[in-house]
C-alpha cells in the first residue's frame, strides 16, 4: 500500500475518522494518509483542485495517476478486498456509489460540523443548490416517515383527530426558520437549513431507537403510553440542545434557537390534545 496516497480534508471530522481507520486496519500505509492542504503546497500542480474539493484525491505512485471520489476509494479498498473492487466497478452499483458519494461529500460539513473558520479551507466542498436540495428533501422525507410511525403507534391517544400532515409541519418549520434567519440578518442560510433538517433527522433516528424499546416492552404486556410521551420529550430536548450546539459552532445568533422553540409552541395545539 506504500504506492498509494489518499488525500483527506483535515478540517472534516468524518474524513479524519475514516482515514485513520484505513491506517489502523492496514488498508493504508502509515504515510499513505496525507492532508490535502499540506500536499498541494508541496505539489501544487499534481491535483485538480476543482475536483478535489468535492471528490477526495487518491494518488497511485506506480502509475503516477490521480483518482477522485469513488474511483479513489475503490482503488484503496480494492487492493485489500478484491470483491469490493469487482462489485464497486459493476456499472449499476458504481452509479449508485457515485450518487451516494456526492450526496455525502457536498454535505459533509453538515454531517460533521466544525467551528466557523476565518480562513477558507482549500478542500471546502463548494456550494451546490442541487445537492443541498436533495439532502433536505430526502432527510425531510425519512424524518416524516419515522415521526408519522411513532405518532401513530405510540402517541395516537394524545393526538387530535384531524391533525396537519407531519410533512407539512416539517416544511412549515423550514420556512419559519428560514424567515427567522433572514429577519435576524444572519449569513449563509444554505448551511443553516442543512443543519436544521439534519437535527430533525437525528431526532427521528432517536425516535426509532425509543420506538423499538417501546415495542419490546409491549411484548411483555407493559403499558407504555406515558413512557412514549417521556421519550418524545427527551427527543425534543435532544434536538433543542443539538440545534443550539450547531448554532454556537457557526456563530449564528441564539435567537434562532429561540425561534425554533417558538415554532414548536405554536404548532403543538394543532397536533396534541391539551
Amino acid at each position: 500500500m506504500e504506492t498509494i496516497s489518499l488525500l483527506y480534508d483535515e478540517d472534516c471530522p468524518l474524513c479524519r475518522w475514516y482515514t485513520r481507520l484505513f491506517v489502523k486496519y492496514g488498508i493504508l500505509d502509515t504515510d499513505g494518509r496525507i492532508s490535502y492542504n499540506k500536499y498541494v503546497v508541496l505539489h501544487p500542480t499534481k491535483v485538480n483542485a476543482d475536483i478535489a474539493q468535492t471528490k477526495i484525491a487518491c494518488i497511485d505512485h506506480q502509475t503516477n495517476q490521480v483518482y477522485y471520489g469513488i474511483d479513489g476509494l475503490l482503488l484503496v479498498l480494492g487492493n485489500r478486498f478484491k470483491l469490493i473492487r469487482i462489485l464497486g466497478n459493476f456499472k449499476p452499483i458504481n452509479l449508485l456509489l457515485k450518487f451516494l458519494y456526492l450526496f455525502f461529500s457536498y454535505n459533509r460539513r453538515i454531517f460533521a460540523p466544525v467551528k466557523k473558520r476565518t480562513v477558507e479551507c482549500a478542500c471546502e466542498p463548494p456550494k451546490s443548490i442541487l445537492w443541498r436540495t436533495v439532502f433536505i428533501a430526502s432527510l425531510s422525507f425519512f424524518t416524516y416517515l419515522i415521526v408519522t410511525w411513532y405518532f401513530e403507534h405510540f402517541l395516537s391517544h394524545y393526538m387530535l383527530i384531524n391533525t396537519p400532515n407531519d410533512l407539512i409541519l416539517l416544511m412549515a418549520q423550514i420556512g419559519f426558520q428560514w424567515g427567522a434567519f433572514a429577519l435576524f440578518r444572519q449569513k449563509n442560510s444554505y448551511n443553516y437549513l442543512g443543519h436544521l433538517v439534519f437535527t430533525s433527522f437525528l431526532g427521528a433516528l432517536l425516535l426509532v431507537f425509543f420506538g423499538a424499546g417501546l415495542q419490546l416492552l409491549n411484548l411483555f404486556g407493559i403499558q407504555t403510553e406515558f413512557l412514549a410521551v417521556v421519550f418524545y420529550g427527551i427527543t425534543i430536548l435532544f434536538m433543542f440542545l443539538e440545534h443550539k450546539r450547531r448554532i454556537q459552532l457557526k456563530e449564528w445568533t441564539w435567537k434562532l434557537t429561540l425561534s425554533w422553540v417558538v415554532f414548536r409552541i405554536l404548532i403543538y395545539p394543532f397536533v396534541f390534545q391539551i
Side-chain angles (χ1 to χ4, degrees):
M1 294 302 296
E2 293 85 351
T3 61
I4 293 178
S5 295
L6 188 65
L7 309 187
Y8 71 99
D9 181 356
E10 194 174 8
D11 291 328
C12 173
L14 284 177
C15 300
R16 294 198 302 267
W17 172 72
Y18 82 77
T19 53
R20 283 198 192 106
L21 287 182
F22 283 0
V23 173
K24 180 179 179 180
Y25 292 104
I27 298 173
L28 274 177
D29 182 68
T30 305
D31 299 325
R33 173 182 178 267
I34 306 174
S35 164
Y36 174 87
N37 285 346
K38 294 177 181 177
Y39 186 86
V40 294
V41 170
L42 298 175
H43 311 278
T45 62
K46 184 73 174 179
V47 175
N48 186 321
D50 293 334
I51 299 177
Q53 280 185 304
T54 305
K55 302 177 182 179
I56 193 169
C58 180
I59 297 97
D60 186 339
H61 297 290
Q62 284 187 332
T63 63
N64 205 32
Q65 187 172 354
V66 181
Y67 298 85
Y68 297 94
I70 280 296
D71 294 332
L73 290 179
L74 288 176
L75 175 67
V76 173
L77 295 172
N79 281 345
R80 182 69 180 271
F81 309 102
K82 292 183 179 180
L83 182 60
I84 290 180
R85 181 174 58 194
I86 295 172
L87 293 176
N89 286 310
F90 181 55
K91 193 168 183 178
I93 295 178
N94 190 264
L95 290 174
L96 176 61
L97 290 176
K98 287 181 177 179
F99 174 87
L100 293 175
Y101 184 92
L102 291 175
F103 178 86
F104 281 97
S105 182
Y106 275 107
N107 298 290
R108 65 180 183 267
R109 296 298 173 88
I110 303 299
F111 286 106
V114 295
K115 289 184 178 181
K116 182 179 178 181
R117 293 173 54 87
T118 55
V119 179
E120 187 175 350
C121 173
C123 202
E124 178 84 18
K127 181 182 290 188
S128 171
I129 300 301
L130 170 63
W131 285 104
R132 185 53 50 86
T133 301
V134 171
F135 177 85
I136 290 174
S138 57
L139 264 63
S140 295
F141 179 69
F142 285 117
T143 300
Y144 154 71
L145 292 179
I146 294 170
V147 172
T148 299
W149 166 77
Y150 190 88
F151 279 16
E152 289 181 352
H153 283 78
F154 307 109
L155 296 179
S156 58
H157 297 295
Y158 303 96
M159 298 178 64
L160 297 172
I161 297 176
N162 296 314
T163 60
N165 184 282
D166 294 321
L167 187 58
I168 294 176
L169 292 177
L170 184 57
M171 293 298 102
Q173 182 185 38
I174 294 173
F176 186 88
Q177 288 300 110
W178 195 355
F181 196 88
L183 180 64
F184 300 141
R185 298 181 179 179
Q186 301 300 288
K187 295 181 179 179
N188 203 345
S189 60
Y190 169 82
N191 277 341
Y192 174 68
L193 293 179
H195 287 293
L196 175 67
V197 170
F198 190 63
T199 298
S200 296
F201 180 68
L202 290 177
L205 293 181
L206 188 57
L207 286 180
V208 171
F209 173 77
F210 285 146
L214 291 171
Q215 287 187 324
L216 182 62
L217 292 175
N218 287 334
L219 290 177
F220 292 96
I222 300 175
Q223 297 297 317
T224 59
E225 286 84 357
F226 178 72
L227 194 57
V229 177
V230 173
F231 284 162
Y232 182 68
I234 293 173
T235 301
I236 295 299
L237 177 60
F238 163 78
M239 291 167 59
F240 168 79
L241 295 175
E242 180 63 13
H243 183 272
K244 181 181 177 182
R245 181 182 76 88
R246 289 171 179 256
I247 290 296
Q248 292 174 337
L249 274 176
K250 295 303 179 181
E251 299 180 7
W252 288 314
T253 178
W254 59 271
K255 295 176 183 178
L256 288 170
T257 301
L258 178 61
S259 65
W260 186 93
V261 174
V262 168
F263 177 81
R264 294 275 168 179
I265 294 174
L266 290 175
I267 66 167
Y268 283 153
F270 298 97
V271 179
F272 297 108
Q273 300 180 39
I274 300 177

